[in-house]
């Protein structure tokens, strides 16, 4: 599989699994306290992923070998997975899935802010900024959020979801800054128990308990989805994608997440797709096209530079010396 095709597959899988999280979370939050819901999700994902890496990786690849490895694990477990999801689930209990998804999709806009401060090689071009703006506009159209409603009403809980997006953006940049020697799979396997411990602690501190949970078939199905597919599997694809393309382009996956969430709501919850949603799909596609054009031009320039250097070398080697 070529690098381009691999990135495309990772992007699609990540968007699909993360998008389904909003539908499953809405269903599960009717039966499970939010922080406990998130903590149990991480318990399931940790058991699966740790078991997988222990069974498939040599011991030498499993152990952190430097401070940077530890920083990468903590950035993943605390910021990208733990706090981001805890804040999202707590906020989503009080705001609609549409408002929650568009606020959380601000992640790609926030990432360059941290990248400019922490990474020397990550900068957002004018074309990239335009593509991101168009994509974000399309997300707003897809979820049908009225800007007046976004700023009013349950402002506190919308702010909680926003902090989740901030946490995720900061964490992805810290992972890149740490430049860990661990593979994304091993790093995530270490990070998930950290996330589970963090969110269990938050759950206990907030007064939640298992007695408040209602173990209905819907709750179990929602927990299984967010633990297995939107947990262990999705984090493998997401962090693999981030390692390949970097935090700025990697977090563009959050533009596609509301599309999957909207379609999931239509199929599973009977929600209708409006004309505005179709326009939003087209707008998001335009934003991706702008960003893809930038990536394509950069790749063409890189290849052309290599060819030019090679030709110059061949010409120089073929020129006879003078006496």
């Amino acid at each position: 599989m070529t690098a381009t095709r691999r990135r495309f597959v990772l992007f699609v899988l990540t968007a699909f699994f993360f998008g389904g999280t909003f539908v499953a979370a809405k269903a599960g939050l009717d039966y499970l306290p939010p922080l406990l819901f998130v903590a149990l999700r991480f318990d399931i994902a940790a058991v699966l992923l740790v078991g997988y890496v222990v069974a498939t990786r040599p011991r030498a690849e499993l152990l952190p070998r430097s401070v940077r490895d530890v920083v990468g694990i903590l950035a993943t477990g605390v910021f990208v997975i733990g706090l981001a999801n805890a804040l999202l689930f707590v906020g989503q209990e009080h705001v609609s899935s549409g408002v929650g998804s568009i606020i959380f999709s601000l992640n790609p806009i926030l990432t360059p802010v941290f990248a400019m401060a922490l990474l020397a090689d990550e900068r957002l071009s004018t074309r990239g900024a335009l593509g991101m703006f168009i994509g974000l506009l399309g997300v707003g159209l897809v979820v049908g959020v009225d800007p007046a409603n976004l700023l009013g009403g349950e402002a506190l809980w919308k702010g909680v979801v926003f902090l989740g997006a901030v946490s995720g953006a900061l964490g992805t940049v810290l992972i890149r800054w740490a430049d860990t020697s661990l593979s994304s799979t091993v790093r995530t396997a270490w990070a998930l128990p950290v996330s589970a411990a963090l969110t269990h602690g938050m759950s206990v501190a907030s007064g939640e308990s298992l007695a408040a949970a209602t173990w209905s078939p819907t709750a179990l199905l929602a927990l299984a989805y967010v633990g297995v597919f939107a947990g262990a599997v999705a984090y493998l694809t997401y962090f693999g994608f981030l390692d390949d393309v970097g935090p700025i382009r990697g977090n563009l996956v959050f533009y596609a997440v509301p599309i999957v969430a909207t379609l999931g709501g239509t199929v599973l919850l009977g929600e209708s797709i409006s004309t505005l949603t179709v326009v939003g799909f087209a707008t998001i596609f335009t934003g991706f096209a702008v960003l893809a054009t930038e990536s394509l031009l950069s790749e063409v320039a890189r290849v052309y530079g290599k060819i030019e250097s090679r030709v110059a070398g061949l010409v120089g080697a073929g020129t006879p010396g003078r006496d």
Side-chain angles (χ1 to χ4, degrees), residues 284-314:
I284 291 174
F285 179 80
T286 302
F288 281 133
V290 172
L291 288 161
T293 301
E294 179 187 35
S295 298
L296 179 61
L297 291 175
S298 298
E299 185 67 15
V300 169
R302 184 183 67 82
V303 173
Y304 177 78
K306 284 187 174 182
I307 293 174
E308 188 177 47
S309 298
R310 183 167 297 180
V311 170
L314 290 174

mmCIF file of all heavy atoms in Angstrom, residues 284-314:
data_model
loop_
_atom_site.group_PDB
_atom_site.id
_atom_site.type_symbol
_atom_site.label_atom_id
_atom_site.label_comp_id
_atom_site.label_asym_id
_atom_site.label_seq_id
_atom_site.Cartn_x
_atom_site.Cartn_y
_atom_site.Cartn_z
ATOM 1 N N ILE A 284 -17.569 21.698 2.779
ATOM 2 C CA ILE A 284 -16.454 20.970 3.395
ATOM 3 C C ILE A 284 -15.552 20.374 2.321
ATOM 4 O O ILE A 284 -14.317 20.425 2.420
ATOM 5 C CB ILE A 284 -16.981 19.878 4.334
ATOM 6 C CG1 ILE A 284 -17.642 20.509 5.558
ATOM 7 C CG2 ILE A 284 -15.857 18.948 4.790
ATOM 8 C CD1 ILE A 284 -18.318 19.519 6.473
ATOM 9 N N PHE A 285 -16.148 19.818 1.284
ATOM 10 C CA PHE A 285 -15.363 19.249 0.189
ATOM 11 C C PHE A 285 -14.482 20.318 -0.452
ATOM 12 O O PHE A 285 -13.330 20.071 -0.798
ATOM 13 C CB PHE A 285 -16.294 18.632 -0.859
ATOM 14 C CG PHE A 285 -15.569 18.044 -2.033
ATOM 15 C CD1 PHE A 285 -14.979 16.786 -1.943
ATOM 16 C CD2 PHE A 285 -15.448 18.750 -3.215
ATOM 17 C CE1 PHE A 285 -14.297 16.247 -3.018
ATOM 18 C CE2 PHE A 285 -14.766 18.224 -4.294
ATOM 19 C CZ PHE A 285 -14.194 16.965 -4.200
ATOM 20 N N THR A 286 -15.031 21.522 -0.596
ATOM 21 C CA THR A 286 -14.250 22.631 -1.159
ATOM 22 C C THR A 286 -13.046 22.956 -0.277
ATOM 23 O O THR A 286 -11.932 23.174 -0.764
ATOM 24 C CB THR A 286 -15.130 23.879 -1.311
ATOM 25 O OG1 THR A 286 -16.245 23.567 -2.155
ATOM 26 C CG2 THR A 286 -14.336 25.034 -1.923
ATOM 27 N N GLY A 287 -13.281 22.989 1.052
ATOM 28 C CA GLY A 287 -12.184 23.258 1.968
ATOM 29 C C GLY A 287 -11.097 22.210 1.880
ATOM 30 O O GLY A 287 -9.898 22.527 1.849
ATOM 31 N N PHE A 288 -11.500 20.941 1.803
ATOM 32 C CA PHE A 288 -10.511 19.869 1.662
ATOM 33 C C PHE A 288 -9.768 19.982 0.332
ATOM 34 O O PHE A 288 -8.576 19.696 0.249
ATOM 35 C CB PHE A 288 -11.187 18.505 1.758
ATOM 36 C CG PHE A 288 -11.498 18.082 3.168
ATOM 37 C CD1 PHE A 288 -12.742 17.576 3.493
ATOM 38 C CD2 PHE A 288 -10.563 18.191 4.172
ATOM 39 C CE1 PHE A 288 -13.042 17.188 4.796
ATOM 40 C CE2 PHE A 288 -10.840 17.809 5.471
ATOM 41 C CZ PHE A 288 -12.088 17.298 5.779
ATOM 42 N N ALA A 289 -10.487 20.404 -0.726
ATOM 43 C CA ALA A 289 -9.855 20.543 -2.035
ATOM 44 C C ALA A 289 -8.752 21.602 -1.998
ATOM 45 O O ALA A 289 -7.679 21.427 -2.577
ATOM 46 C CB ALA A 289 -10.900 20.906 -3.087
ATOM 47 N N VAL A 290 -9.019 22.705 -1.294
ATOM 48 C CA VAL A 290 -8.010 23.761 -1.155
ATOM 49 C C VAL A 290 -6.777 23.226 -0.434
ATOM 50 O O VAL A 290 -5.639 23.442 -0.855
ATOM 51 C CB VAL A 290 -8.593 24.967 -0.400
ATOM 52 C CG1 VAL A 290 -7.499 25.981 -0.083
ATOM 53 C CG2 VAL A 290 -9.690 25.626 -1.225
ATOM 54 N N LEU A 291 -7.000 22.499 0.664
ATOM 55 C CA LEU A 291 -5.889 21.946 1.431
ATOM 56 C C LEU A 291 -5.156 20.870 0.634
ATOM 57 O O LEU A 291 -3.928 20.777 0.681
ATOM 58 C CB LEU A 291 -6.403 21.368 2.745
ATOM 59 C CG LEU A 291 -6.843 22.425 3.762
ATOM 60 C CD1 LEU A 291 -7.758 21.793 4.799
ATOM 61 C CD2 LEU A 291 -5.648 23.056 4.423
ATOM 62 N N ALA A 292 -5.912 20.045 -0.081
ATOM 63 C CA ALA A 292 -5.288 18.980 -0.872
ATOM 64 C C ALA A 292 -4.431 19.566 -1.979
ATOM 65 O O ALA A 292 -3.364 19.041 -2.306
ATOM 66 C CB ALA A 292 -6.368 18.069 -1.461
ATOM 67 N N THR A 293 -4.893 20.683 -2.576
ATOM 68 C CA THR A 293 -4.120 21.335 -3.622
ATOM 69 C C THR A 293 -2.790 21.823 -3.078
ATOM 70 O O THR A 293 -1.746 21.682 -3.701
ATOM 71 C CB THR A 293 -4.903 22.528 -4.203
ATOM 72 O OG1 THR A 293 -6.141 22.054 -4.729
ATOM 73 C CG2 THR A 293 -4.117 23.197 -5.313
ATOM 74 N N GLU A 294 -2.824 22.381 -1.855
ATOM 75 C CA GLU A 294 -1.582 22.837 -1.227
ATOM 76 C C GLU A 294 -0.627 21.673 -1.018
ATOM 77 O O GLU A 294 0.562 21.759 -1.317
ATOM 78 C CB GLU A 294 -1.879 23.496 0.118
ATOM 79 C CG GLU A 294 -0.616 23.977 0.823
ATOM 80 C CD GLU A 294 -0.898 24.477 2.229
ATOM 81 O OE1 GLU A 294 -1.776 23.908 2.888
ATOM 82 O OE2 GLU A 294 -0.233 25.425 2.648
ATOM 83 N N SER A 295 -1.151 20.547 -0.519
ATOM 84 C CA SER A 295 -0.310 19.375 -0.282
ATOM 85 C C SER A 295 0.255 18.844 -1.591
ATOM 86 O O SER A 295 1.415 18.437 -1.669
ATOM 87 C CB SER A 295 -1.125 18.286 0.424
ATOM 88 O OG SER A 295 -1.577 18.745 1.676
ATOM 89 N N LEU A 296 -0.584 18.843 -2.649
ATOM 90 C CA LEU A 296 -0.146 18.338 -3.946
ATOM 91 C C LEU A 296 0.963 19.209 -4.517
ATOM 92 O O LEU A 296 1.968 18.708 -5.022
ATOM 93 C CB LEU A 296 -1.337 18.300 -4.911
ATOM 94 C CG LEU A 296 -1.038 17.815 -6.339
ATOM 95 C CD1 LEU A 296 -0.505 16.385 -6.315
ATOM 96 C CD2 LEU A 296 -2.283 17.915 -7.202
ATOM 97 N N LEU A 297 0.794 20.533 -4.427
ATOM 98 C CA LEU A 297 1.820 21.441 -4.943
ATOM 99 C C LEU A 297 3.132 21.271 -4.181
ATOM 100 O O LEU A 297 4.213 21.313 -4.772
ATOM 101 C CB LEU A 297 1.334 22.883 -4.839
ATOM 102 C CG LEU A 297 0.178 23.275 -5.784
ATOM 103 C CD1 LEU A 297 -0.281 24.695 -5.481
ATOM 104 C CD2 LEU A 297 0.601 23.150 -7.242
ATOM 105 N N SER A 298 3.043 21.076 -2.868
ATOM 106 C CA SER A 298 4.245 20.870 -2.061
ATOM 107 C C SER A 298 4.953 19.583 -2.470
ATOM 108 O O SER A 298 6.179 19.537 -2.569
ATOM 109 C CB SER A 298 3.878 20.809 -0.576
ATOM 110 O OG SER A 298 3.311 22.024 -0.154
ATOM 111 N N GLU A 299 4.159 18.534 -2.717
ATOM 112 C CA GLU A 299 4.749 17.253 -3.117
ATOM 113 C C GLU A 299 5.389 17.354 -4.490
ATOM 114 O O GLU A 299 6.479 16.828 -4.729
ATOM 115 C CB GLU A 299 3.663 16.166 -3.121
ATOM 116 C CG GLU A 299 4.166 14.766 -3.414
ATOM 117 C CD GLU A 299 5.070 14.226 -2.319
ATOM 118 O OE1 GLU A 299 5.089 14.805 -1.213
ATOM 119 O OE2 GLU A 299 5.764 13.223 -2.581
ATOM 120 N N VAL A 300 4.712 18.048 -5.425
ATOM 121 C CA VAL A 300 5.268 18.235 -6.767
ATOM 122 C C VAL A 300 6.585 18.997 -6.685
ATOM 123 O O VAL A 300 7.571 18.640 -7.339
ATOM 124 C CB VAL A 300 4.258 18.982 -7.671
ATOM 125 C CG1 VAL A 300 4.941 19.405 -8.976
ATOM 126 C CG2 VAL A 300 3.070 18.091 -7.982
ATOM 127 N N ALA A 301 6.616 20.065 -5.868
ATOM 128 C CA ALA A 301 7.840 20.851 -5.720
ATOM 129 C C ALA A 301 8.970 20.006 -5.128
ATOM 130 O O ALA A 301 10.124 20.125 -5.540
ATOM 131 C CB ALA A 301 7.562 22.066 -4.834
ATOM 132 N N ARG A 302 8.628 19.148 -4.163
ATOM 133 C CA ARG A 302 9.636 18.301 -3.542
ATOM 134 C C ARG A 302 10.219 17.321 -4.552
ATOM 135 O O ARG A 302 11.444 17.148 -4.649
ATOM 136 C CB ARG A 302 9.027 17.541 -2.360
ATOM 137 C CG ARG A 302 10.022 16.708 -1.576
ATOM 138 C CD ARG A 302 9.325 15.925 -0.478
ATOM 139 N NE ARG A 302 8.443 14.914 -1.026
ATOM 140 C CZ ARG A 302 8.863 13.718 -1.447
ATOM 141 N NH1 ARG A 302 10.140 13.405 -1.382
ATOM 142 N NH2 ARG A 302 8.005 12.836 -1.931
ATOM 143 N N VAL A 303 9.339 16.675 -5.320
ATOM 144 C CA VAL A 303 9.792 15.704 -6.320
ATOM 145 C C VAL A 303 10.608 16.387 -7.412
ATOM 146 O O VAL A 303 11.654 15.888 -7.849
ATOM 147 C CB VAL A 303 8.576 14.964 -6.921
ATOM 148 C CG1 VAL A 303 9.032 14.074 -8.083
ATOM 149 C CG2 VAL A 303 7.880 14.128 -5.855
ATOM 150 N N TYR A 304 10.128 17.556 -7.829
ATOM 151 C CA TYR A 304 10.846 18.295 -8.870
ATOM 152 C C TYR A 304 12.243 18.670 -8.385
ATOM 153 O O TYR A 304 13.224 18.584 -9.139
ATOM 154 C CB TYR A 304 10.074 19.556 -9.248
ATOM 155 C CG TYR A 304 10.787 20.418 -10.269
ATOM 156 C CD1 TYR A 304 10.788 20.082 -11.627
ATOM 157 C CD2 TYR A 304 11.483 21.564 -9.872
ATOM 158 C CE1 TYR A 304 11.450 20.865 -12.555
ATOM 159 C CE2 TYR A 304 12.146 22.347 -10.788
ATOM 160 C CZ TYR A 304 12.123 21.999 -12.128
ATOM 161 O OH TYR A 304 12.794 22.773 -13.042
ATOM 162 N N GLY A 305 12.349 19.076 -7.129
ATOM 163 C CA GLY A 305 13.647 19.428 -6.566
ATOM 164 C C GLY A 305 14.603 18.252 -6.573
ATOM 165 O O GLY A 305 15.789 18.398 -6.882
ATOM 166 N N LYS A 306 14.082 17.058 -6.232
ATOM 167 C CA LYS A 306 14.932 15.863 -6.237
ATOM 168 C C LYS A 306 15.397 15.531 -7.663
ATOM 169 O O LYS A 306 16.561 15.189 -7.882
ATOM 170 C CB LYS A 306 14.162 14.675 -5.656
ATOM 171 C CG LYS A 306 14.026 14.708 -4.140
ATOM 172 C CD LYS A 306 13.405 13.418 -3.635
ATOM 173 C CE LYS A 306 13.391 13.384 -2.118
ATOM 174 N NZ LYS A 306 12.824 12.123 -1.595
ATOM 175 N N ILE A 307 14.461 15.625 -8.608
ATOM 176 C CA ILE A 307 14.814 15.326 -10.004
ATOM 177 C C ILE A 307 15.864 16.311 -10.512
ATOM 178 O O ILE A 307 16.834 15.939 -11.173
ATOM 179 C CB ILE A 307 13.555 15.377 -10.887
ATOM 180 C CG1 ILE A 307 12.603 14.235 -10.514
ATOM 181 C CG2 ILE A 307 13.926 15.287 -12.366
ATOM 182 C CD1 ILE A 307 11.275 14.279 -11.237
ATOM 183 N N GLU A 308 15.655 17.589 -10.194
ATOM 184 C CA GLU A 308 16.584 18.627 -10.630
ATOM 185 C C GLU A 308 17.984 18.381 -10.058
ATOM 186 O O GLU A 308 18.991 18.504 -10.765
ATOM 187 C CB GLU A 308 16.063 19.991 -10.186
ATOM 188 C CG GLU A 308 16.863 21.159 -10.746
ATOM 189 C CD GLU A 308 16.258 22.485 -10.336
ATOM 190 O OE1 GLU A 308 15.939 22.632 -9.138
ATOM 191 O OE2 GLU A 308 16.107 23.369 -11.198
ATOM 192 N N SER A 309 18.041 18.001 -8.772
ATOM 193 C CA SER A 309 19.332 17.735 -8.140
ATOM 194 C C SER A 309 20.016 16.527 -8.770
ATOM 195 O O SER A 309 21.226 16.527 -8.999
ATOM 196 C CB SER A 309 19.141 17.498 -6.639
ATOM 197 O OG SER A 309 18.607 18.632 -6.011
ATOM 198 N N ARG A 310 19.197 15.493 -9.060
ATOM 199 C CA ARG A 310 19.774 14.290 -9.653
ATOM 200 C C ARG A 310 20.296 14.552 -11.059
ATOM 201 O O ARG A 310 21.374 14.092 -11.440
ATOM 202 C CB ARG A 310 18.726 13.182 -9.681
ATOM 203 C CG ARG A 310 19.242 11.852 -10.216
ATOM 204 C CD ARG A 310 18.277 10.726 -9.933
ATOM 205 N NE ARG A 310 18.114 10.524 -8.498
ATOM 206 C CZ ARG A 310 17.325 9.603 -7.972
ATOM 207 N NH1 ARG A 310 16.627 8.796 -8.770
ATOM 208 N NH2 ARG A 310 17.235 9.467 -6.676
ATOM 209 N N VAL A 311 19.526 15.315 -11.848
ATOM 210 C CA VAL A 311 19.957 15.635 -13.209
ATOM 211 C C VAL A 311 21.240 16.457 -13.168
ATOM 212 O O VAL A 311 22.187 16.225 -13.933
ATOM 213 C CB VAL A 311 18.848 16.400 -13.954
ATOM 214 C CG1 VAL A 311 19.379 16.956 -15.276
ATOM 215 C CG2 VAL A 311 17.664 15.483 -14.222
ATOM 216 N N ALA A 312 21.280 17.428 -12.242
ATOM 217 C CA ALA A 312 22.479 18.259 -12.125
ATOM 218 C C ALA A 312 23.693 17.402 -11.762
ATOM 219 O O ALA A 312 24.799 17.613 -12.262
ATOM 220 C CB ALA A 312 22.260 19.350 -11.070
ATOM 221 N N GLY A 313 23.468 16.407 -10.879
ATOM 222 C CA GLY A 313 24.559 15.527 -10.498
ATOM 223 C C GLY A 313 25.052 14.688 -11.651
ATOM 224 O O GLY A 313 26.256 14.499 -11.840
ATOM 225 N N LEU A 314 24.099 14.191 -12.467
ATOM 226 C CA LEU A 314 24.478 13.379 -13.619
ATOM 227 C C LEU A 314 25.223 14.204 -14.653
ATOM 228 O O LEU A 314 26.215 13.758 -15.239
ATOM 229 C CB LEU A 314 23.223 12.759 -14.254
ATOM 230 C CG LEU A 314 22.527 11.674 -13.427
ATOM 231 C CD1 LEU A 314 21.221 11.255 -14.097
ATOM 232 C CD2 LEU A 314 23.436 10.466 -13.256
#
